[in-house]
Amino acid sequence: MIKFLRENVYAAGFLLLLRVYLGWEWMTAGIHKLTGGFDATGYLKGAVANPVADKATGTLVYPTFNAFLERFAIPNAKIFNVLIPIGETLVGLGLILGAVTATAAFFGILMNFMFMFAGTVSTNPWMLLIGGIVMIAGANAGKFGVDYYLLPLIRKVFKREGKAGKGGKPTADGAKPNTPAPI
């Protein structure tokens, strides 16, 4: 199944539909927050006041995440008021355009998990599932998008940098590559 998702042209067409749908959901949520005066402070305080807890014992299910919210997120809510809407919008654009698709899906998944750790279910499991499929598909998810052109350029740049110092030319220290360094 993974091979099908990563290599099949029909899967790439199906993934195009999935990623555009998911991207639209992320982008519209982000733009709504950018234009609607988003403030995460109330949400963060609510997540700390009503944490995800075991019903039988009352113990926190995600104590580390709660500590993160209480000690870092709430005191720095202004940063989150900017990062969340911009992040949602960029994830959406990346998925819609098929630009660095797997990376956009990864960051969308990361945000979905954060929302779920805070106790918000909503559409997060559905978006998590679709984002996981898109991320697992890798480059094939962006085959009908910017990635078709962008990923070969990125590979070319990294191959060029990886070949620096090879081919028998002396390196900066004067030694030829692939020869043991003097002890």
Side-chain angles (χ1 to χ4, degrees):
M1 182 65 168
I2 291 176
K3 181 177 175 147
F4 174 76
L5 282 175
R6 300 193 105 185
E7 297 174 6
N8 189 286
V9 70
Y10 295 110
F14 177 68
L15 290 161
L16 168 68
L17 298 174
L18 282 181
R19 72 176 167 80
V20 168
Y21 164 75
L22 185 61
W24 182 259
E25 293 294 318
W26 278 114
M27 188 181 73
T28 56
I31 289 174
H32 176 72
K33 287 178 178 85
L34 285 170
T35 60
F38 175 71
D39 185 7
T41 308
Y43 176 81
L44 295 170
K45 287 180 179 178
V48 170
N50 301 309
V52 178
D54 184 287
K55 289 183 181 184
T57 64
T59 58
L60 296 178
V61 176
Y62 310 115
T64 308
F65 186 72
N66 266 31
F68 165 76
L69 291 178
E70 198 169 5
R71 295 186 181 104
F72 183 77
I74 292 174
N76 298 298
K78 288 181 181 180
I79 296 170
F80 287 89
N81 291 341
V82 174
L83 289 178
I84 290 171
I86 290 175
E88 288 180 350
T89 304
L90 290 175
V91 165
L93 285 172
L95 290 169
I96 289 170
L97 297 174
V100 288
T101 309
T103 304
F106 169 77
F107 283 108
I109 289 169
L110 186 65
M111 283 191 284
N112 283 132
F113 271 119
M114 295 299 124
F115 299 144
M116 288 174 57
F117 288 155
T120 304
V121 176
S122 183
T123 59
N124 288 308
W126 178 244
M127 293 173 73
L128 187 62
L129 175 67
I130 296 171
I133 291 168
V134 171
M135 190 177 82
I136 289 168
N140 203 34
K143 184 176 195 131
F144 299 124
V146 174
D147 282 348
Y148 182 78
Y149 304 100
L150 181 63
L151 294 181
L153 289 174
I154 292 171
R155 286 186 193 110
K156 188 176 181 180
V157 167
F158 280 103
K159 279 186 180 179
R160 188 175 301 145
E161 288 180 9
K163 289 183 180 179
K166 292 185 180 175
K169 296 179 185 173
T171 59
D173 64 355
K176 288 195 173 195
N178 301 328
T179 57
I183 301 178

